[in-house]
Amino acid sequence: MSERTCNLRPKTEGAQVARSICPYCGVGCGQLVYHKNGKLISIEGDLQSPVSRGHLCPKGADTFELHTHRGRLKKVKYRAPYSSEWQDIDSEKAMDMVAERVWDTRERTFQEMRDGETLMQTTAMAHLGGATLDIEENYLIRKLFTVGLGMVCISNQARI
Ligand code: SF4
């Protein structure tokens, strides 16, 4: 081996490590998050995880890039009706806009009765969940959207 090769050190040397869970899907594979001086160094499979025993699928193995890729979007993008341009808006404003649209749609389309039968629903909105939502979050989503707003079209990716 060359002297240079002998002196090579692992990129995680001296780094602190935190145990975490892959953010992508409901399998919940274990990850080790290496960081040094407040900077993310690497994210790798956790050998101690009883779920994945150190393995990560291609999505999980790319979690480091999910955080650090220069093309990662960090602001909410908004394209106004009939516009061909995207604009950055802050997340507070975006959440207000979503809430206003949800409430407006519900107000305009909620049906209390149909053909003499009680209906209490709207089919004008749908909800598509993400796979990392846990059972408590799904319970709250179901409670809010079905019981609270009367939505019937609700789906969640977590079918594993
Ligand atoms: S996306 Fe892949 S690595 Fe992540 S939890 Fe799912 S199966 Fe595991």
Side-chain angles (χ1 to χ4, degrees):
M1 287 192 289
S2 69
E3 190 182 337
R4 180 182 170 278
T5 304
C6 287
N7 289 327
L8 286 176
R9 310 302 316 155
K11 64 183 170 187
T12 54
E13 188 171 80
Q16 291 176 286
V17 61
R19 296 186 76 192
S20 188
I21 304 286
C22 174
Y24 275 113
C25 88
V27 173
C29 297
Q31 293 182 322
L32 296 176
V33 180
Y34 292 90
H35 56 100
K36 201 188 304 189
N37 302 324
K39 190 165 174 272
L40 193 58
I41 305 290
S42 177
I43 298 178
E44 298 175 9
D46 182 359
L47 280 169
Q48 303 299 317
S49 166
V51 174
S52 51
R53 298 182 190 157
H55 301 285
L56 295 172
C57 80
K59 285 192 298 179
D62 274 343
T63 311
F64 178 74
E65 282 223 323
L66 171 73
H67 289 282
T68 58
H69 195 278
R70 61 185 154 73
R72 180 184 177 191
L73 296 179
K74 295 180 179 169
K75 294 209 168 132
V76 178
K77 296 278 182 194
Y78 172 65
R79 186 166 61 81
Y82 308 109
S83 170
S84 59
E85 305 292 324
W86 292 93
Q87 52 181 290
D88 291 343
I89 58 174
D90 65 52
S91 53
E92 191 82 16
K93 180 177 177 185
M95 293 303 288
D96 286 346
M97 289 166 73
V98 170
E100 280 164 19
R101 283 159 171 75
V102 165
W103 191 246
D104 177 61
T105 305
R106 199 260 189 192
E107 288 285 273
R108 283 187 292 105
T109 61
F110 191 74
Q111 289 180 282
E112 291 191 13
M113 306 282 290
R114 186 165 66 198
D115 301 332
E117 301 282 342
T118 303
L119 202 57
M120 308 298 279
Q121 73 172 34
T122 173
T123 53
M125 292 183 286
H127 178 270
L128 206 54
T132 49
L133 296 171
D134 56 35
I135 193 164
E136 291 82 7
E137 289 164 322
N138 280 305
Y139 168 78
L140 291 172
I141 285 169
R142 189 81 189 163
K143 194 170 175 180
L144 169 65
F145 293 155
T146 307
V147 181
L149 296 173
M151 288 164 57
V152 290
C153 309
I154 297 173
S155 184
N156 189 324
Q157 190 206 332
R159 300 192 180 93
I160 299 167

